[in-house]
């Protein structure tokens, strides 16, 4: 027995020596910038483009390394607070908020001014993704809104034309019912749906004039008949008209792959006539072949709007490569990068000017997509509104509460009114809890609550509201469009 | 046993084995498809894409991850079996005051969900300077209450008459351990080896948190690279997983030989 | 030196323990104590880290209070406990598998082996031909080929082949298994429902064709069956008592458990008044038995909790069995009504009520070829062959040999497996929830460990998450204490 152990020990020690020997040598002449992000098929191209741009502009060489395995959110957090995170990392939708409030992001406001990647280089609706309380904490590599991509062939098979660009809820439902009736074979399980189950409930509720939070972002206001209407509408789409699949039905298509991949495959195959997705879908769809696509805006109750998806790249507060990172951000704001986004279909370019280019609207290699890009461009320019996040509750927590209640409602365990009520109640409880944990916020909170009362009074009286009282980006835009804003200051 | 009985046994076992093997089969089938076939519905690939197995090596430094996983798992298994055997001997063969209380403490520590200890553990690693190092992966895993518990149970089945016999022959505790108890605990040692190796090979969360340099990644972390922005490269992932499973199968089959009855009987007689 | 000699045992004991305990203290005790301290703090990763200046505050039992007040906590706790009901069955399953695989299939007899090989080849060929002949899809042909292959290698290679195959799910570490089961549970096109649907259609046809009162009869029959099970067990306990083979306390607790399914069945009886009557009858009968026993128990001098552990486990298993019988009875009772407009298989993972049972079925499948099976295999190898020889000389049947030799010899392993299963059961479900269900639908499959993950890592409230973890620890601790005290004494020398 002893012999076995000793032999093993020797073998393992040899292995250790070998491992130490094959460790890659570290280059110290060229600075290395680590970017934690997902592995997209086009990442290599993007890295090459960055390095070419550096050369073209006679800047010093920087090596950009993609690190896809550190991309887990909890990992970024743990590493961040322990002092060992990577230089650059992606922050999706609402993560940036958590990262910034934890303190692991680097303030980019001044470098942005110096290197030219400040908020003015991009759309107004995107700015709040990386601007928190007037300071800049990141920069987006691309931006995204979602519209309905249309599979033209599917409509042809139903003997119908391509749907209109803009439509209200009633029209949408009518088209949906017609489509489903045309393509469903009686007696068989339904295999053709008008659209996938993806949709944005916040967009729908905003189209009734109601956002998740109130004007000062101090409370959740979802316990409102308008939100109940939204929930009931979705329910109707799923379970009465069957124009979009319910969760059970979605899983009936035995497709492997994960999440988004499934829906995209079903869309390309024609099981879904439309799919609600951002332009980045094209990266994968193009690999399936060249089908004819069109696009339509999502339907609205009264007020058409689109909600901007919020991803951006942040810089670690303790990074040792800050100058190099600023260079990278400068690149992101450059024409080269924007052109690349346009060409590869990786969502929308950060710089609004590029939405007007011929290369974007009518890409030469993909004539089958020509109707689509205009819609994205128009959506981004005319209808996009920022996401609203309250500083008094973590966006992920609010989202989880909303989703849980939504599923309970869909499963028939609670009514729509109960769901809406519970959402608001629980989110407001979370707000209270946050205030307890962070007494430093209480002062600001109370000031805003007082402001909110004044706003409510003005609303009741039907009078216009001063713009700088409103903090919620949605309400700013909505009131302006409705003529209820007292312009005294700017506002998106 | 009659032929019919044999036949029945075999049939039963075959059916059950088939049931057990299904996910593995699905995995291999998926690894031979194209991405389009994976997303679209199809049980079998139209044409087996053997090049997926080669592509894996291009997309990620698979060979390096492989080596790292094997290296770390081997060291951890070796150290854990050794320290657990020593400790189990102490808990089962030696009588000392407070023994059962300390053992219970060991048991108790297994009961706390490990998730919560990750951050304090990580801070310790940072303090010791072991972040992003092989040592940081190997050391914490080399001590296991589970292994100690398991081997203690095994050792309890060895009759204490053997201890006395050895004592009479003049053996000290050290010899007792090496020459009597350890050989008799062979099934237990093998069992623990299998468990520890597999467990550590598949360990995900701790290396995820600890490692930053790609050159040190183990397989479970490396496989994360197949998650791309527009979906998962499932076919490559499955090819990678299939390849990563091979050492486990080899070890398992190899160690089966030592699961032979009669080792015990020999010791009791002699 | 004299001191050393006095404490020689202690020194030796600690010396052997040393390598282990050093690591234990550094890597386990320290973080453990740290997390304990943090459970009483308001540590929020957002606020208290190297970049912020806010001091950490200690809040006493605030976290625990908040935990208990959250209704979701109790729901998740219930989920965790419910998922643990399958543990006795999982242990039984792995034991069965180990028993099956323990035979070495030496097949030293060349003729037997030859015959088996021939039969295997023929059988396999038939299967493949059938699959291709009947024009079933390519997948069936593949399955047929695989089955034949397994049979052949099994006959040729012996039980090593089967053992490896049984253990295959564990080579792939969960994720592939979870994804596969997700596919299998697909309500419309998964193999589970595809196989169940025609069966259920047939069943609905039969049910609709027979008169309705058969359902009531079925309920009655199953109820009686459950009663018989209970009575059998009670009789066994009673005779054990008289044989001084079980302590009084153990007997009482084990018996009490068995009354639960009976009480439930009685309460569920649709005929008013009959239920309470039956209960009264049972109490009367029980009292009479108790009185009779009391006479026989005069002079009982053994420890009241003797053999509590294993008897408790048995009673729990039988109680679950009785519950299942009663439940089935109820199903039968309602069957005519349900079948009138066709029977459909459930939606499994998506259905709120079936999500947990789906997970339990998957867990049972995984348990058969699991680490526990390996442990039992090792344990079985440990049993000296002479014991069996002696038993068969004495004329013991297979079942008796199992009961009196195998089961007691495996006791240390059963104890270990049971303790670990309870610990893992209370702590588990995290990977499953993350991969398969995200804790849904509507929180039906969220276990406490997933809850800890959400609370800790998604919101940064690690102080609170630590509190939840320590609450969970308290539970596990109590259960293990119970196990060790009543099981270990039976197991330790």
């Amino acid at each position: 027995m002893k012999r076995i152990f000793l032999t093993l020990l020797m073998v393992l020690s040899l292995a250790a020596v070998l491992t130490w020997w094959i460790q890659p040598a570290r280059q110290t002449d060229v600075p290395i910038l680590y970017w934690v992000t997902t592995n997209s098929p086009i990442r290599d191209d993007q890295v090459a483009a960055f390095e070419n741009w550096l050369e073209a502009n006679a800047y010093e060489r920087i090596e950009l390394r993609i690190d896809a395995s550190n991309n887990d959110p909890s990992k970024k957090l743990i590493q961040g607070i322990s002092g060992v995170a990577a230089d650059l990392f992606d922050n999706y939708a609402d993560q940036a908020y958590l990262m910034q409030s934890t303190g692991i992001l680097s303030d980019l406001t001044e470098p942005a001014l110096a290197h030219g990647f400040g908020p003015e280089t991009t759309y107004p609706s995107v700015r709040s993704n990386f601007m928190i309380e007037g300071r800049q904490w990141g920069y987006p590599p691309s931006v995204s809104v979602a519209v309905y991509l249309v599979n033209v062939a599917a409509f042809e098979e139903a003997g119908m034309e391509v749907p209109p660009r803009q439509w209200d809820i009633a029209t949408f439902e009518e088209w949906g019912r017609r489509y489903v009736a045309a393509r469903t074979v009686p007696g068989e399980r339904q295999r053709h749906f008008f659209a996938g189950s993806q949709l944005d409930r916040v967009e729908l509720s905003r189209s009734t004039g109601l956002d998740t939070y109130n004007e000062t972002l101090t409370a959740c206001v979802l316990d409102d008949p308008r939100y109940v209407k939204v929930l009931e509408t979705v329910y109707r789409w799923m379970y009465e008209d069957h124009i979009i699949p319910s969760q059970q039905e979605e899983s009936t298509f035995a497709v492997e792959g994960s999440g988004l991949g499934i829906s995209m495959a079903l869309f390309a195959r024609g099981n879904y006539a439309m799919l609600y997705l951002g332009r980045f879908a094209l990266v994968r769809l193009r690999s399936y072949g060249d089908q004819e696509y069109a696009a339509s805006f999502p339907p609205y109750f009264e007020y058409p709007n689109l909600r901007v998806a919020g991803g951006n790249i942040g810089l670690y507060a303790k990074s040792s490569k800050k100058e190099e990172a600023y260079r990278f951000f400068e690149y992101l704001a450059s024409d080269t990068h924007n052109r690349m986004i346009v060409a590869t279909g990786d969502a929308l370019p950060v710089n609004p000017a590029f939405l007007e280019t011929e290369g974007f609207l009518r890409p030469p290699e993909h004539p089958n997509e020509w109707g689509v890009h205009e819609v994205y461009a128009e959506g981004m320019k005319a209808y996009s509104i920022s996401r609203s996040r309250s500083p008094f509750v973590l966006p992920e927590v609010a989202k989880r509460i909303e989703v849980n209640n939504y599923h309970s409602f869909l499963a028939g365990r609670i009514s729509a009114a109960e769901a809406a009520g519970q959402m608001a109640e629980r989110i407001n409880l979370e707000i209270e809890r946050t205030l307890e944990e962070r007494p430093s916020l209480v002062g600001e909170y109370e000031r805003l609550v007082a402001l909110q009362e004044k706003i409510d009074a003005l609303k009741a009286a039907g009078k216009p509201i001063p713009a700088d009282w409103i903090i919620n980006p949605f309400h700013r835009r909505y009131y302006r469009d409705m003529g209820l804003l007292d312009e005294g200051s700017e506002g998106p | 046993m009659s032929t019919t009985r044999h036949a029945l046994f075999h049939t039963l076992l075959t059916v059950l084995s088939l049931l057990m093997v299904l996910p593995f089969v699905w995995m291999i089938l998926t690894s031979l498809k194209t991405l389009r076939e994976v997303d679209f519905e199809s049980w079998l690939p139209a044409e087996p894409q053997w090049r997926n197995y080669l592509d894996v090596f291009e997309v990620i430094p698979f060979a390096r991850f492989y080596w790292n996983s094997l290296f770390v798992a081997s060291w951890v298994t070796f150290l854990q079996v050794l320290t657990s055997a020593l400790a189990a001997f102490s808990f089962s063969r030696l009588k000392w005051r407070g023994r059962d209380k300390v053992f219970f403490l060991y048991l108790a520590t297994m009961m706390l969900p490990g998730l919560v200890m990750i951050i304090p553990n990580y801070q310790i690693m940072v303090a010791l300077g072991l972040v992003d190092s092989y040592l940081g992966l190997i050391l914490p895993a080399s001590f296991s209450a589970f292994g100690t518990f398991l081997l203690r149970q095994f050792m309890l089945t060895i009759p204490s008459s053997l201890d006395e016999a050895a004592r009479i022959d003049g053996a000290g505790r050290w010899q007792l351990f090496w020459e009597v108890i350890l050989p008799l605990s062979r099934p237990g040692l093998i069992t623990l080896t299998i468990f520890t190796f597999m467990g550590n090979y598949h360990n995900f969360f701790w290396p995820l948190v600890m490692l930053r340099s790609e050159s040190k990644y183990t397989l479970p972390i490396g496989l994360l690279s197949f998650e791309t922005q527009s979906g998962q490269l499932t076919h490559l992932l499955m090819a990678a997983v299939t390849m990563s499973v091979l050492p486990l199968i080899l070890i398992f089959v190899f160690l089966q030989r030592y699961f032979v009855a009669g080792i015990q009987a020999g010791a009791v007689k002699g | 030196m004299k001191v050393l000699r006095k404490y020689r045992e202690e020194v030796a004991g600690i010396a052997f323990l040393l390598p282990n305990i050093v690591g234990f203290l550094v890597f386990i005790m320290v973080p453990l104590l740290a997390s304990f301290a943090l459970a009483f703090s308001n540590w929020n990763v957002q606020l208290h880290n190297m970049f912020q200046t806010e001091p950490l505050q200690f809040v006493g039992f605030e976290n625990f209070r908040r935990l208990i007040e959250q209704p979701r906590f109790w729901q998740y706790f219930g989920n965790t406990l419910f998922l643990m009901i399958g543990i006795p069955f999982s242990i039984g399953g792995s034991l069965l598998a180990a028993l099956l695989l323990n035979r070495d299939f030496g097949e030293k007899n060349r003729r037997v082996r030859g015959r088996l090989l021939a039969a295997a080849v023929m059988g396999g060929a038939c299967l493949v031909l059938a699959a291709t002949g009947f024009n079933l899809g390519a997948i069936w042909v593949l399955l047929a080929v695989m089955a034949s292959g397994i049979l052949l290698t099994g006959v040729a290679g012996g039980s090593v082949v089967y053992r490896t195959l049984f253990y295959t799910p564990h080579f792939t570490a969960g994720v592939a298994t979870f994804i596969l089961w997700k596919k299998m549970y697909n309500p419309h096109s998964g193999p589970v429902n595809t196989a169940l649907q025609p069966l259920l259609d047939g069943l609905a046809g039969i049910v609709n064709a027979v008169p309705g009162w058969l359902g009531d009869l079925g309920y009655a029959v199953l109820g009686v069956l459950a009663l018989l099970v209970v009575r059998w067990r009670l009789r066994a306990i009673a005779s054990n008592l008289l044989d001084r083979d079980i302590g009084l306390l153990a007997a009482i607790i084990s018996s009490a458990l068995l009354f639960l399914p009976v009480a439930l069945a009685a309460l569920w009886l649709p005929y008013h008044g009959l239920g309470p009557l039956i209960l009264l009858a049972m109490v009367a009968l029980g009292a009479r038995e108790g009185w009779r026993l009391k006479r026989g128990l005069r002079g009982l001098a053994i420890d009241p909790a003797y053999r509590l552990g294993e008897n408790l486990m048995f009673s729990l298993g039988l109680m679950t069995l009785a519950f299942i019988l009663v439940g089935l009875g109820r199903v039968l009772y309602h069957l005519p009504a349900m079948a009138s407009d066709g029977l459909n298989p459930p939606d499994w993972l998506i259905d709120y009520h079936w999500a947990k049972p789906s997970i339990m079925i998957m867990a049972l499948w995984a348990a058969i070829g699991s680490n526990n099976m390996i442990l039992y295999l090792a344990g079985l190898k440990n049993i000296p062959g002479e014991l069996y020889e002696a038993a068969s000389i004495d004329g013991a049947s297979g079942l008796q040999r199992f009961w009196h030799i195998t089961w007691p010899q495996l006791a240390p392993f059963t104890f270990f497996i049971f303790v670990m299963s309870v610990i893992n059961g209370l702590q588990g479900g995290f990977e499953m929830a993350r991969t398969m269900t995200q804790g849904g639908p509507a929180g039906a499959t969220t276990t406490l460990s997933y809850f800890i993950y959400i609370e800790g890592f998604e919101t940064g409230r690690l102080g609170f998450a630590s509190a939840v973890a320590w609450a969970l620890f308290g539970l596990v601790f109590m259960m293990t204490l119970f196990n060790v005290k009543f099981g270990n004494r039976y197991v330790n020398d």
Side-chain angles (χ1 to χ4, degrees), chain A residues 22 39 75 84 255 284 288, chain B residues 36 39 64 208 212 228:
Chain A
I22 59 176
N39 237 337
K75 188 174 186 186
V84 290
V255 172
R284 187 126 154 163
Y288 292 156
Chain B
R36 199 198 150 98
D39 282 347
R64 160 148 251 127
L208 180 72
R212 268 211 54 216
T228 72

Side-chain angles (χ1 to χ4, degrees), chain C residues 220-283:
Chain C
V221 165
L222 281 170
V224 169
L225 212 60
L227 274 173
L228 284 173
V229 167
V230 169
R231 195 178 88 132
W232 173 80
R233 177 65 184 146
L234 285 174
R235 280 256 176 107
I237 293 181
S239 81
N240 276 342
L241 259 178
L242 290 170
D243 285 340
R244 307 290 190 272
D245 215 11
I246 182 176
L248 191 61
L249 183 65
I252 292 179
I253 296 185
S254 312
S255 322
L257 277 177
L258 291 164
F259 278 110
L260 287 174
V262 175
L264 196 68
L267 284 170
W268 269 350
L269 273 179
Y271 314 110
H272 297 289
L274 199 56
L277 236 126
I278 293 190
L279 268 176
L280 259 152
M282 301 234 33
V283 172

Side-chain angles (χ1 to χ4, degrees), chain C residues 97-226:
Chain C
L99 286 170
L100 271 176
L101 292 173
N102 192 29
R103 302 166 176 284
D104 257 325
F105 289 127
E107 273 111 0
K108 296 177 178 82
N109 189 342
R110 273 261 177 95
R111 268 205 312 166
V112 173
R113 200 174 184 185
R115 263 192 248 159
L116 276 176
L117 262 171
V121 169
M122 276 203 333
C126 284
L127 265 177
V128 177
L129 282 172
T132 35
F134 283 124
N135 265 335
L136 310 170
I139 188 69
W140 289 104
V141 177
L142 184 64
L143 283 175
V145 170
M146 273 175 41
S148 333
I150 294 177
L151 193 57
L152 275 167
T153 24
V155 170
S159 57
V160 177
V161 174
Y162 291 122
R163 277 189 217 143
T164 317
L165 289 174
F166 263 58
Y167 199 62
T168 314
H170 289 262
F171 291 127
T172 55
V175 172
T177 316
F178 290 140
I179 297 183
L180 176 90
W181 274 90
K182 202 168 165 178
K183 282 195 55 172
M184 285 183 45
Y185 273 138
N186 189 310
H188 283 267
S189 56
V192 174
N193 277 12
T194 317
L196 272 180
Q197 183 72 66
L199 288 175
L200 284 178
D201 286 340
L203 185 62
I206 297 177
V207 171
N208 283 332
V210 295
W213 51 261
L214 274 183
D216 298 6
L217 184 64
Y219 185 25
V221 165
L222 281 170
V224 169
L225 212 60

Side-chain angles (χ1 to χ4, degrees), chain C residues 359-370:
Chain C
I359 307 271
M360 285 162 69
I361 295 175
M362 179 183 79
L364 184 61
W365 170 86
I368 296 179
S370 69

Side-chain angles (χ1 to χ4, degrees), chain A residues 235 239 248 405-414, chain C residues 350 352 441-442:
Chain A
Y235 188 87
Y239 293 108
Q248 288 97 312
N405 282 295
Y406 173 61
H407 282 150
S408 288
F409 161 64
L410 282 183
R413 301 189 59 231
I414 51 179
Chain C
I350 301 177
Y352 181 76

Side-chain angles (χ1 to χ4, degrees), chain A residues 389-400:
Chain A
R389 294 182 209 95
S390 166
F392 305 110
V393 64
L394 273 174
E396 274 145 7
V397 173
K399 182 167 161 206
R400 196 171 264 276

Side-chain angles (χ1 to χ4, degrees), chain A residues 350-477:
Chain A
V350 180
N351 187 335
F354 280 83
L355 287 181
E356 326 258 337
T357 64
E358 190 61 23
F360 176 81
L361 293 170
R362 279 169 280 277
E365 290 156 29
H366 303 278
N368 54 318
E369 292 170 7
W370 283 5
V372 168
H373 302 277
E374 297 171 0
V375 178
Y376 277 113
E378 195 187 330
M380 196 65 214
K381 277 186 299 193
Y383 297 111
S384 66
I385 306 183
S386 321
R387 306 169 83 85
S388 52
R389 294 182 209 95
S390 166
F392 305 110
V393 64
L394 273 174
E396 274 145 7
V397 173
K399 182 167 161 206
R400 196 171 264 276
I401 294 176
E402 201 264 335
V403 166
N404 268 344
N405 282 295
Y406 173 61
H407 282 150
S408 288
F409 161 64
L410 282 183
R413 301 189 59 231
I414 51 179
S415 72
E418 281 171 341
Q422 278 176 19
M423 282 179 207
E425 190 190 317
R426 293 219 176 117
I427 293 182
N428 286 328
L429 272 174
E430 280 290 333
I431 292 181
E432 266 179 46
R433 191 171 168 182
T434 311
L435 289 171
E436 273 173 35
E437 286 173 359
R438 310 178 73 163
S440 51
L441 291 175
V442 174
E444 176 71 6
Y445 179 76
E446 290 181 347
R447 181 185 80 84
L448 287 173
V449 167
L451 202 57
Q452 181 69 37
E453 284 176 15
K454 286 197 263 186
I455 294 178
D456 291 336
L458 285 177
K459 269 202 301 193
K463 295 214 201 105
I465 306 166
D468 45 358
W469 284 14
I470 300 179
I471 312 197
N472 190 330
F474 165 69
H475 287 107
R476 278 217 173 144
R477 202 33 211 286

